[in-house]
Amino acid sequence: MVAASILIDKHFEIGTTDPRLFGAFIEHLGRCVYGGIYEPGHAEADEKGFRKDVMALIKELGPTIMRYPGGNFVSGYNWEDGVGPVEKRPKRLDLAWMTTEPNTFGTNEFIDWCRAADVEPMLAVNLGTRAGDAARNLVEYCNHPGGTYLSDLRAEHGWPEPHNVKFWCLGNEMDGPWQMEAKTATEYGRIATEAAKMMRWIDPSIELAACGSSSRRMPTFGAWEDTVLEHTFDHVEWISLHTYLNNYAEDTAAFLASADLMDDFIEEVVAIADSVAARRLSEKRIMLSFDEWNVWYRTRRGRANRIKEGWPIAPPILEEIYNMEDALAFGGAVISLLNHADRVRCACLAQLVNVIAPIMTETGGPAWRQTIFFPFADMSAHGRGRVLRAQVKSPTYNAKYYDPRNTQDLYYPVNEVPYLKASVVANEGGGVTIFALNRHLTDELTFDLNARSFGKLSLIEASELHDGDLKAINSKDEPERVTRRSLEGVTVDNNALRATLKPLSWNVIRLAEA
Ligand code: AHR
């Protein structure tokens, strides 16, 4: 048995979670849109073609903001193709995923879907094959009230009211050679600045996110952020981060430790952003938008995983099937995000349905929850409030995490990894939630929580996500093989708590304060 402790004080906090921390991502990729959120003709489709069964699961998942339409896709996207009469919209080759894009779903349908799902829309503009002119036109089309060609065109298309989209991404992963018209940091910094200026001249209320590195292991990481922010600092509020955790090495301990590298990544980007501010004697603080994060590796490598022959429409690609082990690594990432709530004020789980997603569907068939659904839903439901600066004391282990850079094999040392990874949130409506991951491969972990300066606490609910088989998955035929169960044996005495967590388990303990 492993023993650990957590000390919290209600006055010691990291920051308050921004609702945008609980976002997700819909890309025109595989069956995310077509056959995912949108499937006209499905028995569960509403009059707009939105799947109601998928919508019900999304509401249970609880995303707050939705990034769209890409991803790699956006770097070749003509937004004009996706508006206006559907029968007149062109089919186009999409060079991001080597598919045919039918354009039967576009910006206006996305906005309608967001309103139905009760999420804030986040739009990315194409700064790959296009630049500032197309971007500013999209802002005018979406947000200008009326009386101009583009705003009147929106009305003519059936949406007289402005969409008022507030959050805009200036392109996607522009540092990546896989991107259509990838750029150097200087090229991107210049184009992003000019696009940002015009977009904001049209609508001063918008917020803009510059592309950070597409991962921490890009050879240009660090220098990219520095140069891009040197150009864009006065024109953006946000810089983006992307991370996909992997278990290529089939090393559970290292995989579960890998979320801790997200902590390092976040802190490094904060340091770079603040050093750009320091050089200008500026008090402005650029916030972090972790607008792609997840576990992704099985369907990442190999052409067959990413590309189907013959330019198909919405083929099943990147349909990662998540197991129990993935949910644990994912839970670690949830804790990393919560514990940086002061600077990571927006984050998007990539993606939402079918494509590296918490929700799977069968075209024409049912929808179900993948294992990673649960830590995300827990975070969104119970992560609202003040994240406390918890002092976690736990025995540790060392690991080597395999994270390749292009074709180069790279192992990152991850040292002093606490078996207990935890975050504690003083919730908006009162009470406290503890998110706790036991990373020990074989042993139970007992921790004592000392909730200093809190009144008398009582247990509302304690749940665990655990399966004796780390490779256990949910499927159409067994949709609830991996699900939350009650965590037994939690004792609360005044403002102290003791809980015992199963080895390799994700746990959520909710307390009320008298
Ligand atoms: O989410 C899948 C892809 O991963 C996105 O299109 C891209 O931005 C990233 O490389």
Side-chain angles (χ1 to χ4, degrees):
M1 207 257 299
V2 180
S5 66
I6 304 179
L7 172 66
I8 53 170
D9 183 302
K10 67 162 60 166
H11 305 292
F12 296 169
E13 67 177 52
I14 294 170
T16 299
T17 52
D18 190 305
R20 286 170 167 168
L21 189 62
F22 315 112
F25 176 28
I26 292 173
E27 178 166 0
H28 281 254
L29 197 183
R31 297 192 308 125
C32 186
V33 172
Y34 307 108
I37 58 165
Y38 176 74
E39 193 179 337
H42 189 282
E44 291 279 348
D46 68 10
E47 69 287 351
K48 291 184 169 152
F50 304 156
R51 278 186 63 159
K52 289 182 281 181
D53 55 342
V54 174
M55 188 66 91
L57 286 176
I58 290 167
K59 290 199 169 163
E60 185 186 325
L61 184 73
T64 48
I65 186 166
M66 200 60 62
R67 184 167 175 249
Y68 173 88
N72 297 340
F73 173 80
V74 78
S75 295
Y77 185 50
N78 298 334
W79 66 264
E80 300 87 338
D81 293 346
V83 297
V86 175
E87 61 287 358
K88 291 198 178 146
R89 297 187 196 171
K91 285 195 179 72
R92 296 247 190 218
L93 296 184
D94 163 34
L95 304 189
W97 304 105
M98 301 293 176
T99 55
T100 298
E101 171 54 51
N103 281 311
T104 51
F105 187 99
T107 304
N108 295 318
E109 288 80 18
F110 172 67
I111 297 292
D112 277 358
W113 183 88
C114 286
R115 304 300 179 223
D118 198 20
V119 302
E120 179 186 353
M122 173 197 285
L123 289 182
V125 296
N126 176 355
L127 296 189
T129 60
R130 307 184 84 185
D133 191 45
R136 61 128 176 183
N137 284 341
L138 181 57
V139 175
E140 183 178 334
Y141 180 88
C142 286
N143 286 8
H144 196 66
T148 64
Y149 171 71
L150 287 168
S151 53
D152 289 348
L153 190 63
R154 183 194 66 237
E156 197 183 297
H157 290 162
W159 283 266
E161 293 305 317
H163 296 327
N164 285 326
V165 177
K166 292 292 168 217
F167 199 118
W168 294 80
C169 305
L170 296 164
N172 175 70
E173 295 192 348
M174 296 310 306
D175 59 334
W178 56 88
Q179 207 69 217
M180 284 174 261
E181 298 207 21
K183 303 197 169 13
T184 65
T186 303
E187 288 166 346
Y188 171 69
R190 288 282 308 128
I191 288 171
T193 299
E194 294 307 312
K197 269 166 42 184
M198 291 190 283
M199 292 165 78
R200 206 190 297 277
W201 282 337
I202 290 170
D203 182 352
S205 74
I206 61 176
E207 295 172 50
L208 293 159
C211 288
S213 295
S214 48
S215 88
R216 185 178 181 234
R217 60 186 156 65
M218 291 300 285
T220 46
F221 168 56
W224 172 274
E225 280 72 5
D226 193 65
T227 303
V228 165
L229 284 176
E230 195 51 59
H231 284 281
T232 58
F233 188 85
D234 292 329
H235 304 279
V236 302
E237 287 73 31
W238 303 85
I239 183 130
S240 72
L241 296 81
H242 291 179
T243 290
Y244 292 101
L245 305 178
N246 83 78
N247 192 16
Y248 288 120
E250 285 286 334
D251 178 341
T252 303
F255 183 33
L256 300 189
S258 67
D260 293 17
L261 295 171
M262 277 175 68
D263 297 305
D264 297 341
F265 187 23
I266 291 166
E267 287 157 26
E268 287 157 359
V269 175
V270 166
I272 296 165
D274 291 354
S275 76
V276 177
R279 284 205 291 273
R280 324 163 96 81
L281 301 178
S282 170
E283 288 183 353
K284 177 174 175 177
R285 288 293 171 264
I286 299 286
M287 294 298 153
L288 274 51
S289 176
F290 217 123
D291 60 27
E292 288 187 33
W293 68 275
N294 199 348
V295 169
W296 177 26
Y297 63 104
R298 299 173 192 85
T299 58
R300 194 164 189 181
R301 283 179 168 175
R303 195 179 154 83
N305 281 321
R306 291 181 289 110
I307 293 167
K308 304 279 185 230
E309 298 306 321
W311 301 93
I313 294 176
I317 49 173
L318 277 55
E319 299 205 351
E320 192 97 353
I321 304 301
Y322 291 106
N323 61 27
M324 179 64 218
E325 188 178 41
D326 298 325
L328 297 171
F330 185 98
V334 161
I335 291 172
S336 294
L337 293 173
L338 287 171
N339 284 346
H340 291 90
D342 53 338
R343 292 302 288 270
V344 183
R345 304 202 57 77
C346 181
C348 300
L349 160 60
Q351 298 192 6
L352 186 66
V353 185
N354 290 327
V355 172
I356 48 172
I359 297 167
M360 289 299 293
T361 71
E362 189 180 68
T363 303
W368 62 96
R369 302 168 192 80
Q370 294 233 60
T371 60
I372 59 169
F373 183 101
F374 300 101
F376 187 95
D378 290 337
M379 162 171 83
S380 180
H382 307 302
R384 319 283 177 117
R386 294 184 306 118
V387 182
L388 299 180
R389 196 166 288 286
Q391 179 181 286
V392 179
K393 288 200 171 157
S394 160
T396 62
Y397 67 99
N398 294 336
K400 274 211 171 98
Y401 173 58
Y402 174 70
D403 201 9
R405 172 186 281 177
N406 302 329
T407 51
Q408 193 189 342
D409 279 356
L410 274 188
Y411 284 87
Y412 285 80
V414 207
N415 292 328
E416 295 184 23
V417 179
Y419 287 111
L420 175 62
K421 183 161 173 131
S423 183
V424 184
V425 180
N427 293 119
E428 271 165 6
V432 175
T433 300
I434 304 154
F435 300 89
L437 177 68
N438 178 7
R439 298 191 266 203
H440 203 287
L441 300 186
T442 53
D443 290 7
E444 290 188 333
L445 183 149
T446 295
F447 75 86
D448 288 298
L449 173 89
N450 175 358
R452 203 169 72 177
S453 79
F454 278 85
K456 190 173 161 44
L457 298 172
S458 61
L459 185 65
I460 303 174
E461 184 186 32
S463 69
E464 65 176 15
L465 194 69
H466 170 78
D467 195 297
D469 179 5
L470 273 185
K471 303 299 177 195
I473 59 165
N474 290 341
S475 63
K476 183 182 73 140
D477 298 325
E478 208 182 351
E480 300 202 350
R481 160 69 198 256
V482 180
T483 191
R484 291 186 201 95
R485 307 194 197 282
S486 169
L487 170 65
E488 304 298 336
V490 178
T491 57
V492 184
D493 179 13
N494 209 7
N495 62 353
L497 170 148
R498 173 168 286 194
T500 298
L501 314 179
K502 295 204 174 88
L504 299 171
S505 62
W506 162 260
N507 306 271
V508 180
I509 301 170
R510 295 174 53 221
L511 304 166
E513 190 182 7

